[in-house]
Amino acid sequence: MNIILLGPPGAGKGTQASRLEQERGMVQLSTGDMLRAAVAARSPVGMQAKAVMDAGDLVSDEIVTGILSDRLDGEDVKRGFILDGYPRTTAQAQSLESLLALKGTSLDHVIELSVDEDALVERIIGRFSCASCGEGYHDIYKQPAVPNVCDVCQSENFRRRPDDNEETVRNRLSEYRAKTEPILPFYEAKGLVSRVDGMAPIVEVNAAIERILDGG
Ligand code: ADP
Ligand code: AMP
């Protein structure tokens, strides 16, 4: 099963993708994570992408599609993948069609997570993650069970993304409305889109996604 989780920044795509990885053995493909790894490695792609990401603008279709295409060649992707943060433009949606056709696979579902704009800003400003294993947390909605200790790997080191500040968030949201939302009709025409209320608690959003994947 191959799916896209679509929704604005902070909608809960990464949170839900990581639950699906644990529950179903699917592979999360986050282009944001891939780009952050490139920035951390100071690779040529990372050097080009950093300022764009810090401003909350979109990295070029060529760069992002290039890194995704390489990742889709991974053997693990055959277990089924969850695209998180890709495609973000009509051009990317079209490139994805060609890439999947070339690799002899296709999409089963596009799941749209909808969340109010004010809640998105609150979610992003409160977001942090474990610096060792990447587990995601939130100041209010998902704190570690033991304060300052990661639930998954017991690390005591946490980090916040440089682009998770109010000014950048507003730009990221407007980029989503202007460039990403318009790709929905493309998938609607293929009958692939299901909508989930992303305002519900994390476990309820997860249950709604599971029902869609189970065909119910
Ligand atoms: P995205 O990957 O779509 O940008 P995340 O999964 O990183 O979003 O979620 C953004 C923040 O909101 C995180 O701190 C996460 O813990 C929190 N969060 C995710 N889903 C929910 C939810 N249903 N209710 C409340 N907080 C949530
Ligand atoms: P995310 O982790 O999905 O919130 O993405 C963080 C940032 O990475 C975005 O604000 C963009 O600058 C960049 N990015 C991630 N995925 C894409 C994509 N598919 N197309 C263009 N830019 C992207």
Side-chain angles (χ1 to χ4, degrees):
M1 175 106 42
N2 299 320
I3 70 169
I4 296 176
L5 288 182
L6 200 68
K13 303 180 296 294
T15 302
Q16 296 301 329
S18 103
R19 293 185 73 114
L20 293 174
E21 273 199 323
Q22 287 157 24
E23 288 157 6
R24 295 191 173 235
M26 296 169 78
V27 178
Q28 176 186 10
L29 302 178
S30 157
T31 45
D33 285 349
M34 293 173 208
L35 289 166
R36 280 184 288 278
V39 170
R42 296 175 185 272
S43 71
V45 161
M47 304 297 247
Q48 267 180 281
K50 187 177 182 333
V52 179
M53 293 170 76
D54 285 347
D57 293 331
L58 293 187
V59 174
S60 77
D61 291 333
E62 292 70 24
I63 287 184
V64 183
T65 300
I67 55 170
L68 179 73
S69 171
D70 291 346
R71 184 64 186 87
L72 281 172
D73 289 332
E75 195 58 29
D76 57 344
V77 170
K78 297 197 175 118
R79 300 202 305 258
F81 60 75
I82 309 146
L83 278 170
D84 157 11
Y86 188 100
R88 263 173 153 100
T89 63
T90 306
Q92 290 180 18
Q94 281 158 354
S95 298
L96 181 63
E97 291 292 294
S98 323
L99 278 177
L100 295 183
L102 264 173
K103 296 176 201 291
T105 187
S106 59
L107 291 169
D108 299 288
H109 294 281
V110 175
I111 299 176
E112 187 199 7
L113 298 177
S114 51
V115 176
D116 297 349
E117 188 110 356
D118 288 345
L120 291 173
V121 174
E122 193 198 17
R123 283 189 189 180
I124 290 178
I125 301 300
R127 168 162 65 185
F128 62 100
S129 63
C130 172
S132 299
C133 73
E135 180 70 3
Y137 293 98
H138 190 276
D139 290 330
I140 301 166
Y141 303 115
K142 193 190 163 200
Q143 292 183 336
V146 177
N148 302 316
V149 179
C150 176
D151 295 346
V152 175
C153 75
Q154 279 71 54
S155 162
E156 295 181 13
N157 294 318
F158 295 90
R159 65 180 166 213
R160 287 178 194 263
R161 285 169 44 175
D163 58 343
D164 279 351
N165 59 74
E166 185 144 5
E167 191 190 335
T168 305
V169 165
R170 296 278 175 199
N171 189 38
R172 285 157 63 198
L173 292 174
S174 76
E175 286 282 86
Y176 179 81
R177 304 281 177 229
K179 296 176 184 165
T180 308
E181 239 170 25
I183 67 183
L184 268 165
F186 175 78
Y187 291 118
E188 268 159 0
K190 294 173 183 285
L192 289 175
V193 179
S194 306
R195 291 203 165 73
V196 167
D197 176 14
M199 294 295 289
I202 292 171
V203 287
E204 286 179 25
V205 177
N206 175 244
I209 294 173
E210 293 281 3
R211 278 194 297 276
I212 292 165
L213 300 190
D214 290 337

